[in-house]
Amino acid sequence: VSDVGSRESVEIATTLRESFGPDACYLAKLIPNLSMIFGDFDDCDDVNDCVNAEKRLQYLLCRFVEIISSFSPHPIVLFLDDLQWADKASINLLSQLLVESRFSRFLIVGACRDDEMGHDHPIWHMVSTVRNLGMKAMIVKTSLLDKTTMNAMISDILCLSPRVTRSLSDIVHHKTKGNPLFFSRLMISLNKEGVVQFSLSRRRWVWDEEKILSRKVPDDVAKLLTGAICQLSPDVQAGLCALSCFGASVDVSIVEILERYLDLQLKSSLEVAVKECFLDKINGRYTFSHDRVQEATYNMMSTKERAMRHS
């Protein structure tokens, strides 16, 4: 569909326009990129009935997926992260997408932190519903990294054999307890401190095991991230705090507007954060490398600071 000039995309666009008619504006509101297919619309009529609005949105999205999947020779896969934060309306929409029998080649993959979800979370009701309807719903619990896996990762990162890196990986595993985010941030920190560094004379990576063993590590990821962020310059910290108020990501154009409004050099500060692996810059958007980074940054601000930045 993104290949607007292709013959297939024209056919898909025509089918979508004919199917949705004037209701296409509601779908374009939800998925702005569809304006490339539907064109620009006048403002949609506001509907005060939230129930009808929800049902209409469910119908439009189900029909949209049905049309797209009918043109695709491959299964349609929708991946959604952080489902622990999904509200009831969003879960109802997913349920509707799943129970539509027409979508035989449609797969939803969701990720969540089950330790932050109670037994009454709507996601569990959705899983129960689709199973009762005879559909497959698989729950895969991911565990922490074991010593062998962590050693394989460090071996790959340092381009050394697993036999050589085993002593290092044992120490790192002990410090991080196998937490992947903890592991990645600790390795970055050890490299910045020169404890793990590349030796030109030996032409390989080397490390100081005694210093790593004696290094104090926070007992949770939030404290580790907060400590790492506090080591950045005040300007970079301020830039990250401003960005965290927008959520997981923000468009570069918004950052440029903020620069003019606040008279700050935000972009240069955020570029430093990108180099330090706190942010990713993809397709003209700054995105936090992990939602825990955004949470840690946001929580560093006082309630008064947050209110001031949101205003």
Side-chain angles (χ1 to χ4, degrees):
V1 177
S2 60
D3 187 8
V4 179
S6 69
R7 179 179 177 181
E8 185 180 27
S9 67
V10 171
E11 188 176 354
I12 295 174
T14 301
T15 304
L16 288 172
R17 291 192 197 98
E18 292 175 350
S19 176
F20 292 122
D23 286 338
C25 68
Y26 299 107
L27 199 58
K29 266 190 171 183
L30 183 68
I31 312 174
N33 284 344
L34 288 180
S35 60
M36 293 187 296
I37 294 175
F38 296 133
D40 296 326
F41 294 96
D42 295 329
D43 291 338
C44 297
D45 294 332
D46 291 329
V47 178
N48 295 323
D49 190 342
C50 294
V51 175
N52 289 337
E54 182 179 342
K55 289 182 178 179
R56 179 183 60 203
L57 183 58
Q58 289 178 0
Y59 167 77
L60 291 174
L61 281 173
C62 287
R63 180 66 179 142
F64 175 74
V65 173
E66 180 186 11
I67 293 172
I68 295 299
S69 61
S70 69
F71 281 93
S72 174
H74 308 291
I76 302 297
V77 180
L78 173 64
F79 174 72
L80 298 170
D81 199 3
D82 293 318
L83 282 178
Q84 71 274 4
W85 293 330
D87 58 16
K88 186 176 180 180
S90 300
I91 298 300
N92 288 341
L93 173 58
L94 291 180
S95 298
Q96 191 66 29
L97 286 169
L98 285 169
V99 300
E100 286 288 341
S101 59
R102 296 189 297 268
F103 303 154
S104 58
R105 296 185 298 115
F106 181 58
L107 172 67
I108 292 180
V109 179
C112 65
R113 303 179 201 155
D114 58 357
D115 58 341
E116 297 183 13
M117 301 164 62
H119 295 294
D120 58 345
H121 195 283
I123 194 74
W124 305 129
H125 176 70
M126 182 192 75
V127 171
S128 177
T129 298
V130 297
R131 282 177 172 171
N132 290 336
L133 291 173
M135 301 180 64
K136 291 182 179 180
M138 183 181 297
I139 296 178
V140 179
K141 288 196 173 185
T142 58
S143 59
L144 298 174
L145 301 173
D146 57 31
K147 286 186 177 181
T148 301
T149 303
M150 187 168 287
N151 187 39
M153 293 174 66
I154 292 178
S155 170
D156 184 62
I157 292 170
L158 302 183
C159 298
L160 294 170
S161 71
R163 178 182 57 82
V164 175
T165 59
R166 185 165 291 112
S167 61
L168 172 62
S169 67
D170 285 346
I171 298 172
V172 173
H173 187 272
H174 174 72
K175 295 283 186 182
T176 63
K177 304 297 187 294
N179 185 298
L181 179 59
F182 215 150
F183 160 70
S184 64
R185 292 310 313 179
L186 180 60
M187 290 298 293
I188 292 172
S189 178
L190 293 175
N191 177 239
K192 287 182 64 179
E193 295 169 10
V195 182
V196 176
Q197 60 182 330
F198 189 80
S199 171
L200 292 176
S201 60
R202 299 181 63 181
R203 298 182 181 180
R204 49 157 283 188
W205 287 89
V206 296
W207 51 89
D208 189 324
E209 292 185 6
E210 288 190 6
K211 287 186 177 180
I212 300 174
L213 278 169
S214 62
R215 190 184 191 279
K216 292 184 178 181
V217 177
D219 56 3
D220 63 50
V221 178
K223 290 181 180 178
L224 178 69
L225 291 172
T226 301
I229 294 169
C230 287
Q231 293 179 8
L232 300 171
S233 69
D235 288 343
V236 178
Q237 290 184 48
L240 286 172
C241 286
L243 198 69
S244 70
C245 295
F246 288 87
S249 66
V250 65
D251 196 88
V252 173
S253 61
I254 302 297
V255 175
E256 292 172 347
I257 294 172
L258 286 173
E259 280 191 320
R260 294 193 297 269
Y261 181 76
L262 301 175
D263 194 25
L264 295 174
Q265 296 299 317
L266 285 176
K267 287 181 67 177
S268 58
S269 297
L270 296 180
E271 290 297 330
V272 174
V274 171
K275 292 180 181 178
E276 296 293 334
C277 301
F278 290 102
L279 296 176
D280 296 318
K281 189 178 181 182
I282 305 172
N283 298 327
R285 293 187 70 83
Y286 288 109
T287 304
F288 281 97
S289 56
H290 195 279
D291 57 1
R292 288 294 180 92
V293 178
Q294 189 263 336
E295 287 178 27
T297 307
Y298 191 76
N299 290 333
M300 285 174 60
M301 296 183 288
S302 66
T303 304
K304 184 177 180 181
E305 285 179 299
R306 293 176 195 168
M308 180 182 67
R309 291 183 183 277
H310 280 296
S311 61

